[in-house]
Amino acid sequence: MKTIRKFSVASLLFLSLFTVVTVSCSEENEPPTAQEIQNNDHQNAKTQFINVKGNSFAYRILGKEGGTPLVMLPGLGGSMDDWDPAITDGLAQKYKVIIFDNRGVASSKGTTPNSIQEMADDAVDFIQALNLNKVNIMGFSMGGFVAQRVVLTHPSLINKVILTGTGPKGAIGLSDLPGIIAGTAGLSPEESFLKFGFTQSAESIAAGKAAYTRIQRRTTDRDLPLTDASSGAQLTAVLNWAQPDANALTELKNIKNPVLIVHGENDLPVSVQNAKNMAQNLEHAELLIFPDSGHASFFQNHEKFVAKATEFLGK
C-alpha cells in the first residue's frame, strides 16, 4: 500500500499522467483583467498564483464575474486539469468557477498534508487569500471529504455545498481502496480511468472514453503532475478518513447549509449507501443518484448534472 508503484497508480486514476508539461503562468498575485475573466473556459483559462501563508497556490478562474463563486475540490491524485471540461465549462456558463491545487499538489508549492482536516484548513486559507467572504464549494471523492470539514469548521464562509462520489468519515467500502487500486495494475491510463470511474456497460464505457478525451484537450499550460510524496500523503489521508467513526453521521447534522449529494449507483470505491446515509442525516440535503454509473457519475451524466447543480445553486 505504501510503495511508490501504488502511489503512482493512485495518481493515474485521476489522469495525473502527463510527465511533460509547458507552464507559462502569470506572476504571483497578479489580478486577472475583466476580459480574461469574462472569456475564460477550461481549455484557455490562465494559470495564476497567489501566496497562501508562505506557499504559492496555483489556480484558475472560469466563467463570469460577480455572484457567489464556486470553488471546486478535486479527488485523490487530481489537479486542475483532471476536471472534466463538460463540468467546469457547464457550470461556468452561469457562475464564476475557481479551480485550484491545494498545498503541495501539482503546481502549488509546499508539503501536501496527510490529513483531511489540514487539507480543509489549507482550502479555507486559499479562499480567504482571494478575499472571498462567501463561496459555494463542490468536492469530488476526497475533495468531498475536504468539503465536509470546510463547512463544519467554517460554516459562515460557505453558502451551498455539492458533494459528488463521496462519503462521511468511515465511509462504507472506502477501506478497500488499496485492493481496488491494486486491481488496476497493468492497465493503461485510460483503462484505469474507466475501471475506477465507470461501469462495464457499453453506454458507461462510451461516456468514460468521451470524458477521458475531453480532459486531455488542454494542451498548453497544463498542470504539473503530482509527485509520489504528494500522492502518498493524500492516500494516507484518505485511508485515515476510512477508519470507522461512530459519530460521523451525527456530526453531519451540524451542517445547516444546503447540500446537493450526487452519486453513482454502482460506485466502486465509495458505496452509494454512503450518499443515502449522508442525505438522511443532513437537514437540508438533496440526493441525486445516477443509474448505471460509477465513481465519476457526474462526468458520465454531465448534462443532467450541470442542469441540476445550476438549479441547486440558483435557488
Side-chain angles (χ1 to χ4, degrees), residues 2-312:
K2 293 185 178 180
T3 64
I4 289 178
R5 179 183 65 80
K6 289 185 179 178
F7 286 160
S8 298
V9 171
S11 298
L12 288 175
L13 292 175
F14 292 93
L15 294 186
S16 297
L17 48 90
F18 300 94
T19 56
V20 180
V21 294
T22 302
V23 181
S24 55
C25 305
S26 63
E27 293 297 319
E28 188 169 292
N29 294 336
E30 177 186 341
T33 66
Q35 187 67 25
E36 286 174 335
I37 293 174
Q38 201 68 27
N39 295 330
N40 278 348
D41 61 13
H42 189 98
Q43 187 167 335
N44 301 302
K46 188 176 183 180
T47 304
Q48 302 172 74
F49 291 94
I50 189 168
N51 186 289
V52 181
K53 292 190 173 180
N55 291 305
S56 181
F57 278 39
Y59 71 102
R60 297 175 191 151
I61 297 178
L62 290 68
K64 299 183 177 181
E65 188 59 52
T68 304
L70 173 65
V71 179
M72 301 179 65
L73 307 166
L76 173 66
S79 70
M80 293 186 288
D81 284 319
D82 296 312
W83 290 108
D84 186 342
I87 300 299
T88 51
D89 285 341
L91 294 171
Q93 292 297 312
K94 293 281 187 179
Y95 302 100
K96 178 178 179 178
V97 173
I98 301 173
I99 56 178
F100 77 108
D101 294 328
N102 216 332
R103 177 161 55 104
V105 174
S107 299
S108 290
K109 303 302 182 182
T111 301
T112 302
N114 61 5
S115 79
I116 297 300
Q117 184 60 60
E118 286 184 83
M119 294 179 187
D121 294 341
D122 289 337
V124 169
D125 289 341
F126 167 73
I127 293 168
Q128 293 177 337
L130 290 177
N131 295 317
L132 299 173
N133 298 317
K134 183 78 72 173
V135 299
N136 298 309
I137 54 173
M138 173 177 160
F140 171 38
S141 193
M142 184 189 75
F145 310 156
V146 176
Q148 291 172 56
R149 296 310 306 167
V150 168
V151 71
L152 280 167
T153 55
H154 292 79
S156 63
L157 181 63
I158 306 304
N159 181 39
K160 296 182 179 181
V161 183
I162 301 176
L163 300 175
T164 60
T166 194
K169 288 182 182 178
I172 298 169
L174 187 60
S175 61
D176 297 332
L177 182 61
I180 297 172
I181 292 175
T184 65
L187 299 181
S188 70
E190 182 180 26
E191 289 170 338
S192 294
F193 178 75
L194 295 174
K195 180 178 179 63
F196 204 80
F198 301 83
T199 74
Q200 296 182 352
S201 76
E203 183 178 0
S204 184
I205 291 172
K209 289 182 177 180
Y212 185 90
T213 298
R214 290 192 298 268
I215 289 169
Q216 296 179 82
R217 280 183 187 153
R218 183 176 176 118
T219 56
T220 60
D221 190 24
R222 284 196 73 95
D223 221 343
L224 294 173
L226 272 70
T227 64
D228 288 325
S230 183
S231 297
Q234 287 190 349
L235 187 56
T236 296
V238 169
L239 293 180
N240 285 336
W241 183 268
Q243 297 305 305
D245 188 330
N247 298 318
L249 294 176
T250 300
E251 186 178 35
L252 286 182
K253 294 179 180 180
N254 293 320
I255 297 177
K256 305 302 180 183
N257 309 64
V259 180
L260 173 63
I261 302 170
V262 179
H263 219 92
E265 188 176 40
N266 310 104
D267 193 312
L268 181 61
V270 187
S271 166
V272 68
Q273 187 60 47
N274 292 294
K276 296 175 181 178
N277 291 344
M278 287 193 299
Q280 291 172 359
N281 287 275
L282 288 165
E283 186 174 343
H284 303 290
E286 296 183 47
L287 176 61
L288 174 61
I289 298 176
F290 287 115
D292 186 32
S293 300
H295 196 51
S297 67
F298 65 120
F299 287 9
Q300 177 174 334
N301 303 278
H302 57 87
E303 291 182 352
K304 292 179 180 178
F305 169 78
V306 168
K308 180 60 180 179
T310 300
E311 174 196 353
F312 170 74

